[in-house]
Amino acid sequence: MKIVDLDLPGLKLVEPKVFGDARGLFLETWNQARYEAAGIAGPFVQDNLSRSRRGTLRGLHYQKPNMQGKLVSVVAGTVWDVAVDLRRSSPSFGKWFGVELSAENRRQLWVPGGFAHGFAVLSDSADFAYKVTGPYSPQDEHVLRWDDPAIGIDWKLPSGDVLLAERDKNGKNLAEAVIFD
């Protein structure tokens, strides 16, 4: 397993070691001791799976005060995965990072608490799996506007082809969003 510390402090890209042969493949998607040694601390309390069709954009979601860290991956299809730093004290406050996650590259992204997270589906459909460090808390959930020009995220989707949930259409711009210290 290879862990890459990214430019936004706390974000980590995980490239699991894949063992393949004529039968197929095997990889570890979670190993408590190895991930904790790499700075990806749990405990994880819930696993989630979503299926979305091409052009779907989910996010940008986060919880405060009951934060969630997320270890995300794709088991079918391809997504453009994005995290935005919402920690005012961070040198990368308001900056975003994006990476392609797919069933083919098997990458995982560790998104610690203090970040908003979302993804856009680039393939016909995608199955998106993630582990979280805190339970879902609807009263603590917030949505950052996906197309806030102050952040300027390139979602890799043709304009006009974005499928959004109502709550995601009504996200707040960074200037008015609930943020972290």
Side-chain angles (χ1 to χ4, degrees):
M1 166 175 87
K2 179 179 173 187
I3 306 275
V4 178
D5 289 314
L6 301 171
D7 290 342
L8 278 56
L11 280 183
K12 295 176 185 289
L13 187 64
V14 180
E15 297 177 349
K17 186 168 181 140
V18 178
F19 300 91
D21 63 22
R23 300 169 296 168
L25 63 87
F26 172 83
L27 69 145
E28 283 185 351
T29 58
W30 168 248
N31 177 310
Q32 183 174 347
R34 288 187 199 188
Y35 280 67
E36 283 183 2
I40 301 173
F44 291 99
V45 300
Q46 186 175 327
D47 288 357
N48 301 313
L49 176 73
S50 69
R51 175 171 290 158
S52 306
R53 63 186 245 199
R54 182 185 296 275
T56 296
L57 193 154
R58 295 184 185 260
L60 294 157
H61 304 148
Y62 62 102
Q63 290 188 180
K64 184 180 179 187
N66 294 307
M67 295 189 298
Q68 289 181 314
K70 297 178 181 177
L71 181 63
V72 304
S73 63
V74 170
V75 294
T78 303
V79 307
W80 180 248
D81 200 72
V82 171
V84 178
D85 192 346
L86 296 179
R87 303 167 298 174
R88 185 174 297 284
S89 60
S90 170
S92 58
F93 172 72
K95 295 188 174 12
W96 66 276
F97 173 82
V99 64
E100 186 173 292
L101 303 178
S102 71
E104 187 171 316
N105 69 29
R106 310 280 179 197
R107 291 174 170 165
Q108 298 172 303
L109 183 66
W110 165 242
V111 182
F115 284 78
H117 172 261
F119 65 90
V121 177
L122 305 178
S123 53
D124 287 344
S125 69
D127 289 354
F128 188 84
Y130 57 105
K131 306 174 82 59
V132 294
T133 59
Y136 175 63
S137 176
Q139 66 274 15
D140 297 328
E141 184 175 48
H142 302 278
V143 179
L144 182 66
R145 188 171 177 89
W146 67 280
D147 60 349
D148 182 349
I151 301 171
I153 298 168
D154 176 0
W155 286 98
K156 310 293 184 193
L157 291 172
S159 62
D161 287 346
V162 178
L163 299 172
L164 290 162
E166 280 304 309
R167 69 178 179 147
D168 294 344
K169 290 178 183 173
N170 299 312
K172 293 185 176 177
N173 289 327
L174 180 62
E176 57 191 15
V178 173
I179 59 171
F180 300 87
D181 293 332

